[in-house]
Amino acid sequence: MTRTTAWRRHPLARYAVLVLALALIGVAYATLVQGSRPADAALASGKLDDVAQGKSLFQAHCSSCHGLSAEGTSTGPTLVGVGAAAVDFQVSSGRMPAANPGAQAPRKPTPRWVNEETTRQLAAYVQSLGGGPTIPSKDQVDPAMGNAAKGGELFRANCIQCHNWGGAGGALTRGKYAPSLNESSPQQIYEAMVTGPQAMPVFNDTTITPQEKRDMIAYITEVRSQRDPGGFGLGRIGPVTEGLVAWVVGISFMALVAIWITAKKRKKS
Amino acid sequence: MSELTSVPKAISGPSSFLDDRLGAGNFLKRNLRKIFPDHWTYLLGEVALYSFIILLLTGTFLTLWFKPGMEHVIYDGSYAPLKGVGMSQAYASSLEISFDVRGGLLMRQMHHWAALLFVASMMVHMLRVFFMGAYRKPRELTWLIGVILLTLALAEGLTGYSLPDDLLSGAGLRITEGVAISLPLVGTYITFFLFGGEYPGMDVISRFYSLHILLIPGILLALIGAHVVLTWVQKHTQMPGRGANNHNVVGAPFYPAFMLKAGAMFLFTFALVAGLGTFAQINPIWIFGPYNPADISAGSQPDFYMGFLEGSLRLMPAWEINLFGTAHAGTLPLSVIIPALLPMGIIMTGLALYPFLERWVTGDHRALHVSDRPRNNPHRTSIGMSAIVFYGVLWLLGANDELSANFQISLNVTTYVGRVLVLVGPVLAYIITYRICLGLQRSDAAVIGHGVESGVIKRLPHGEFIEVHTAPIDTVEDSLRAKEPVPMLPVEEDSAGIPPKGMRGPLGKLRAAMSKSYGGEKIPLDDGHGHGHDDDEHAAVGSGDDKSITRH
Ligand code: HEM
C-alpha cells in the first residue's frame, strides 16, 4: 500500500475532500461572479465547465484587447454585461478576435480554433461576468415560424435606412458601413438586433418583441434566397447598376451596331 | 454633281401609281432619293427615336393594367412576402403587372430599359452635335428643340419613375417636394398645387399619370416630329472631306441604302431593349416595398439621368439663411435651392444659348453644312469637355454611398474630394483638352507638310538613314485640308488705336477679347507642297463611291 492510498482510506478523507471541493467551488464562485446571478445560472445549468474553459480561451485569444478579466483596455471595450449573444454574434461571424484596428471590425472567416463548442464556452464565460442578452433558442430564430409579410414591414421601418431594402448594406459616415445581410445566419440576425454591434442600435424586446424578430428573420431569409424574377439581379441595389448597364451595355452596343452598319459599303450602282 | 438619272423600279412602280392619282410622284422621287451621310455617329439620334417608339408601345401596354390611385388596399396577389401588406392601389397594380399579368414584367422592364436608353442616346447624340458644331446656322432651331426634348425627357422619366409608388420612387418624390417647397415665396403654393395639399396627399400619382402618359409624351411626339422634319429638310451636316462642301451632301440615298440602315438600326434597338428586358432585372419594386413616408432606405438613388441633381444635393454644404436672423421670419435653404437649380440651370441654359453665344463671339453668320473636326475648334471642344467633367463629377457623387460601400472609401472623404473636384475638374479638363487639340492640329499639319511615314527606310549616300514620307491618301488629305480658321470678329484697332465699332464699351471689349482667343488659326496647316488643290476640284474626286447632289 502506498502512502497515497493510505491517505485516501483515512476516515477523515471523505470530509477533507468535501471541504476541499466546497472551498474550490467557493473560490470559483467568488472569482467568477462579481454580479452573482449569472453564475448561479451557469451553475444551475451545469455550465461551470464552459465558464472555466471559456475563461482560458478568453485569456488566450481576447485578453490582449479586452483585458485579462474582460475589464477593457485602451484597445478594446469592457465586455462585462454585453452578454452571451454579443460574443456568439462577434465570434461566429468572425469579427472577433479583431485583426487590425479600423473604423469597424469586418465579418471574416473564423480562425481555426473557433467552433460551436469554443464559441459557447466563450459566451458562457462572458455571460457569467455580468449577464446581458442570451443566445436565442432554435425556435426563436426559426424562419418557418415567422410571418414574412409582417416582418417586411418591420424591416422597412427599422433596418433599411442602414441595410438597404434588399439587405445589400450601405455606407455610414466616416468609413463605417452597415454590412450586407446575405451571409448572416438567423441566429446572428437575432443577436445583432439584441446586442446592437457598434454603430447599430439595440432593438430590445420591448421595442421589437421576439415574435416580431422572428418575422423579420423570416422576411430577410426569404427575400435573399428568392430567385430574381426579372433576370440578373444586378446586385439588387437599384438605379446605380441599372444606369451603368444602360451605358456600358446599351450605349456601347448601339455604337458598335452603328459602326458595323455604316461600315457596310454600298455596291456601286 | 451627278444628278439622278434613273429611278429604281421599286420606287418608280408605286410612285407612278401615286403620281397618277395624287400627283405625288415628284414628292416621293425627291424624298426617297434624299442623301444621308453615312458616318456611324449620325445614327445615334436614331437610337433615341426608336427607343421613344418602344416607350410608346410598351407604355400603352402598361396603361391597360396600371391603376393610378392612392387608395389604400391590402395586397392579395401572388408575391408572398407582401401578402396582407397595406399599400396604394398604384403599387398593387404595378405588382399585379409584374407577377400576375402575362408578359407584364417583361413589358415593365422593357419600358424602363427603353427609358434609360432613350435619355442616354439623346445625350450621346447631343454631344456628337455639339463637338462637331452641327448646331450652327441654319440648325439652331433643331438644336433648341433638342434641348427642350432632353429637359422634357427628364420630366417624363421623373413622373414615370414615381408612378409605381414604391419605396424608392417615393424617396424621389419626397426630394421633388423638398425642392419645390424650398423655392422662395412660391414654394408652398407650388407644392400644394402639385400634391393637392399636404405631402404626400391622395392626388399626386394620378396627376403624374396624366402628365406621364398624356401631356409630356404628346409634346415629346410633336417636338420629335418637328426635330426630324427639320433634319430632313435641312439635311444632315456632313463630315469634312470626300468632296463634301457647303453646297452638297455626300452619302447614300434614303432609298434603299439609308432606309435599310435605319430599319436595321430599329431592329437592333428593339433587340437590345428586349434582351435587357428579358435578362436584366430593373426596378424590382417588390423588393423595395410600398411607399411609406416614414421609411427610407440606404442606397436610394434616382435613375441615372437625375443622378447629377442627387450628386449636387449631396455635395452641397448645409447652408441656409434665416431672414432677419430668425427661423420665424422665413428660411432660405441654400443647401436645397442651389444644388437643385444651379447645375441644371448652368447645363440646360448653357446648352440652349451656346449657338447664339458662339455666333456673338465669332460673328459667323454663314449657313454651314460641313461639320468641324473637334480638334479644329479647340475652345469649343474644351468647353464641352469641361461641361462633361462638371456633369460627370456631380453624377458620380450622386452614387457616393455606393462608391463608399463597395470600394471601402469613407463617405466623408468622397464628399470632400467631390467638392474640390467639381470646381477644379472642369478647369483641368479645359486646359488638358485644349492642349490635346493643339497637339492633334500640329500632327495634322505635319501630315500635310511632310506626309505620312511610309515605313521605308532609306540610306543616304553619306550614310544617314531616313524614313521616306509619302503624301497621305486623298480622302485623308481632303478632310485635313477642309480645316478653316475659326471665324473671328474684325477686332484689330485702326491706325489711331481705336477699336472698331461695337467693340468699345466694356461688353464690346469683352466680346473682342473672347473673339480673339476663341477664333483664329492656332496651328496653320504648314503647306509645304501643292497649293492649287482647291475644294471645288476635290468635290469631284474621291466620291466615286458616293452620290452627291446639289443642295437646293
Ligand atoms: C417618352 C418617354 C417615357 C419615359 C422616359 C418613361 C419612363 C418611365 C419610367 C422610368 C417608368 C417606371 C417604370 C417601372 O416601373 O420600372 C414608367 C412607368 C410607366 N409608364 Fe412610362 N415613360 C415614357 C413614356 C410612356 C408612355 C408614352 C406611356 C403610355 C402611353 C407610359 C406609360 C407608363 C406607365 C403606365 C407606367 C407605370 C407602370 C409600372 O411602372 O408598372 N410611359 N415610365
Side-chain angles (χ1 to χ4, degrees):
Chain A
M1 227 195 270
T2 59
R3 269 172 69 117
T4 23
T5 14
W7 265 106
R8 278 204 218 136
R9 298 270 163 91
H10 195 275
L12 282 180
R14 254 185 274 168
Y15 302 100
V17 169
L18 198 63
V19 168
L20 203 71
L22 278 174
L24 262 177
I25 291 173
V27 170
Y29 184 89
T31 48
L32 284 182
V33 208
Q34 282 87 355
S36 75
R37 262 176 301 115
D40 282 345
L43 278 177
S45 55
K47 288 204 179 129
L48 200 54
D49 279 357
D50 280 0
V51 172
Q53 282 295 327
K55 179 168 184 163
S56 65
L57 279 169
F58 188 89
Q59 290 182 339
H61 299 288
C62 321
S63 58
S64 57
C65 298
H66 291 290
L68 272 175
S69 44
E71 73 280 12
T73 69
S74 56
T75 49
T78 171
L79 298 184
V80 176
V82 301
V87 175
D88 187 64
F89 171 79
Q90 299 281 349
V91 175
S92 70
S93 70
R95 286 181 169 76
M96 292 293 143
N100 27 29
Q104 177 170 317
R107 172 181 267 274
K108 59 181 185 301
T110 51
R112 204 140 350 111
W113 60 265
V114 171
N115 55 34
E116 224 169 278
E117 195 190 359
T118 49
T119 312
R120 190 189 67 231
Q121 290 165 342
L122 272 172
Y125 168 64
V126 171
Q127 182 76 25
S128 73
L129 298 180
T134 50
I135 298 172
S137 69
K138 284 267 174 301
D139 275 359
Q140 277 180 302
V141 300
D142 185 1
M145 296 169 70
N147 176 337
K150 271 215 188 90
E153 288 183 285
L154 289 160
F155 183 65
R156 284 188 289 276
N158 293 295
C159 319
I160 64 173
Q161 69 268 42
C162 299
H163 287 287
N164 165 286
W165 53 72
L172 302 175
T173 50
R174 312 217 172 274
K176 294 195 218 95
Y177 61 94
S180 149
L181 302 184
N182 288 339
E183 284 166 52
S184 324
S185 67
Q187 184 168 330
Q188 287 165 350
I189 300 176
Y190 193 100
E191 289 165 350
M193 287 191 263
V194 289
T195 64
Q198 297 171 79
M200 176 162 159
V202 174
F203 297 89
N204 61 29
D205 289 353
T206 44
T207 349
I208 293 184
T209 64
Q211 173 59 45
E212 291 174 331
K213 290 196 172 86
R214 189 163 57 194
D215 293 344
M216 287 159 79
I217 291 170
Y219 182 79
I220 295 170
T221 51
E222 175 162 351
V223 168
R224 75 184 177 192
S225 58
Q226 169 186 104
R227 242 187 81 243
D228 282 314
F232 294 115
L234 305 182
R236 291 188 181 171
I237 60 167
V240 175
T241 41
E242 293 161 7
L244 210 63
V245 169
W247 280 86
V248 174
V249 176
I251 291 297
S252 341
F253 176 79
M254 289 321 300
L256 288 177
V257 165
I259 291 171
W260 181 71
I261 287 182
T262 47
K264 289 237 170 255
K265 279 278 172 273
R266 228 160 25 96
K267 287 201 203 74
K268 272 208 171 123
S269 52
Chain B
M1 318 286 132
S2 54
E3 263 298 344
L4 298 175
T5 43
S6 69
V7 177
K9 251 229 179 73
I11 296 178
S12 64
S15 79
S16 61
F17 173 87
L18 286 175
D19 200 18
D20 293 346
R21 285 150 189 88
L22 304 169
N26 268 335
F27 173 81
L28 274 185
K29 214 189 279 178
R30 225 176 334 125
N31 284 304
L32 290 177
R33 294 300 291 178
K34 201 115 210 165
I35 300 295
F36 280 78
D38 52 11
H39 192 263
W40 67 274
T41 53
Y42 289 80
L43 290 176
L44 292 172
E46 277 173 42
V47 179
L49 176 63
Y50 304 140
S51 321
F52 182 68
I53 295 174
I54 299 174
L55 281 168
L56 288 180
L57 297 176
T58 51
T60 307
F61 180 95
L62 294 178
T63 57
L64 304 181
W65 283 277
F66 182 73
K67 299 192 192 71
M70 297 280 261
E71 289 76 25
H72 192 81
V73 297
I74 303 292
Y75 181 69
D76 191 28
S78 51
Y79 182 68
L82 285 174
K83 253 199 168 99
V85 172
M87 56 182 64
S88 70
Q89 207 182 28
Y91 184 66
S93 70
S94 303
L95 287 177
E96 190 200 343
I97 295 176
S98 307
F99 293 106
D100 301 302
V101 172
R102 186 159 303 198
L105 182 58
L106 177 65
M107 286 296 158
R108 265 198 62 232
Q109 300 205 133
M110 281 178 67
H111 191 71
H112 209 131
W113 281 119
L116 297 194
L117 194 64
F118 179 55
V119 185
S121 53
M122 259 207 269
M123 289 177 170
V124 207
H125 168 62
M126 191 190 67
L127 290 177
R128 198 277 292 169
V129 171
F130 180 84
F131 283 117
M132 292 190 182
Y135 52 78
R136 289 172 299 174
K137 190 177 167 186
R139 295 180 180 74
E140 298 100 323
L141 266 188
T142 323
W143 170 260
L144 276 183
I145 292 180
V147 176
I148 299 173
L149 279 173
L150 183 62
T151 319
L152 281 176
L154 299 191
E156 178 73 350
L158 180 77
T159 49
Y161 184 78
S162 306
L163 288 184
D165 200 27
D166 56 277
L167 193 52
L168 192 53
S169 73
L173 209 54
R174 183 86 215 196
I175 295 183
T176 314
E177 187 243 11
V179 169
I181 208 165
S182 74
L183 298 174
L185 304 178
V186 293
T188 326
Y189 298 100
I190 290 186
T191 340
F192 271 59
F193 175 71
L194 200 60
F195 291 89
E198 287 286 352
Y199 177 87
M202 293 296 281
D203 294 330
V204 63
I205 296 291
S206 52
R207 288 185 182 175
F208 272 25
Y209 190 57
S210 320
L211 294 181
H212 184 76
I213 71 161
L214 208 64
L215 187 65
I216 306 181
I219 304 178
L220 276 175
L221 194 62
L223 288 179
I224 289 178
H227 192 84
V228 171
V229 167
L230 276 177
T231 324
W232 187 282
V233 172
Q234 296 175 334
K235 298 155 198 84
H236 285 74
T237 54
Q238 50 189 333
M239 298 281 193
R242 290 196 294 159
N245 64 32
N246 270 330
H247 309 288
N248 68 1
V249 192
V250 177
F254 177 74
Y255 182 93
F258 190 76
M259 210 162 87
L260 281 180
K261 289 180 183 178
M265 218 43 204
F266 176 72
L267 292 180
F268 272 113
T269 311
F270 192 83
L272 173 70
V273 170
L276 283 173
T278 311
F279 294 114
Q281 178 164 291
I282 189 167
N283 207 18
I285 51 169
W286 52 92
I287 296 184
F288 305 153
Y291 183 52
N292 173 349
D295 302 347
I296 179 78
S297 175
S300 294
Q301 304 280 353
D303 267 353
F304 86 81
Y305 40 83
M306 289 290 169
F308 75 111
L309 291 177
E310 176 83 19
S312 40
L313 263 176
R314 292 183 184 199
L315 279 190
M316 184 69 193
W319 292 341
E320 59 181 29
I321 296 177
N322 285 323
L323 302 182
F324 311 112
T326 130
H328 300 296
T331 298
L332 197 59
L334 297 179
S335 53
V336 180
I337 296 182
I338 291 183
L341 302 183
L342 198 68
M344 180 95 151
I346 290 178
I347 290 169
M348 290 302 179
T349 324
L351 283 175
L353 293 186
Y354 198 84
F356 307 100
L357 281 178
E358 182 176 69
R359 194 167 56 202
W360 184 70
V361 168
T362 59
D364 188 3
H365 289 276
R366 295 170 302 161
L368 297 156
H369 302 292
V370 177
S371 52
D372 283 335
R373 301 175 79 210
R375 69 185 66 171
N376 288 345
N377 192 331
H379 278 290
R380 176 204 293 146
T381 306
S382 308
I383 289 173
M385 285 309 290
S386 62
I388 290 181
V389 169
F390 177 67
Y391 183 93
V393 170
L394 292 179
W395 185 13
L396 191 70
L397 266 288
N400 69 345
D401 56 336
E402 300 294 352
L403 290 181
S404 164
N406 291 304
F407 300 104
Q408 272 93 49
I409 313 167
S410 157
L411 195 66
N412 305 59
V413 170
T414 62
T415 308
Y416 299 140
V417 172
R419 282 177 187 165
V420 176
L421 266 188
V422 79
L423 301 176
V424 176
V427 179
L428 280 182
Y430 197 102
I431 297 171
I432 295 172
T433 313
Y434 192 78
R435 291 287 134 207
I436 292 179
C437 285
L438 292 197
L440 289 173
Q441 284 195 29
R442 225 167 260 132
S443 78
D444 285 353
V447 167
I448 294 292
H450 310 289
V452 290
E453 295 166 358
S454 63
V456 176
I457 308 289
K458 201 163 136 187
R459 186 171 177 197
L460 298 182
H462 58 273
E464 184 192 347
F465 287 96
I466 58 161
E467 183 174 5
V468 177
H469 284 235
T470 55
I473 52 172
D474 281 355
T475 48
V476 172
E477 186 168 351
D478 282 353
S479 70
L480 295 190
R481 282 194 187 281
K483 177 185 179 193
E484 288 177 14
V486 180
M488 189 170 30
L489 290 167
V491 290
E492 293 309 319
E493 297 169 357
D494 65 12
S495 52
I498 297 175
K501 243 178 94 189
M503 317 263 152
R504 289 177 194 154
L507 192 63
K509 285 206 180 104
L510 175 71
R511 187 179 175 195
M514 283 169 77
S515 189
K516 229 168 167 170
S517 70
Y518 194 92
E521 186 69 294
K522 309 285 185 253
I523 312 284
L525 283 179
D526 169 23
D527 234 0
H529 9 245
H531 260 290
H533 286 309
D534 88 344
D535 280 351
D536 284 344
E537 204 179 315
H538 269 274
V541 282
S543 56
D545 220 26
D546 298 300
K547 291 261 184 310
S548 57
I549 58 167
T550 314
R551 231 172 238 289
H552 345 261

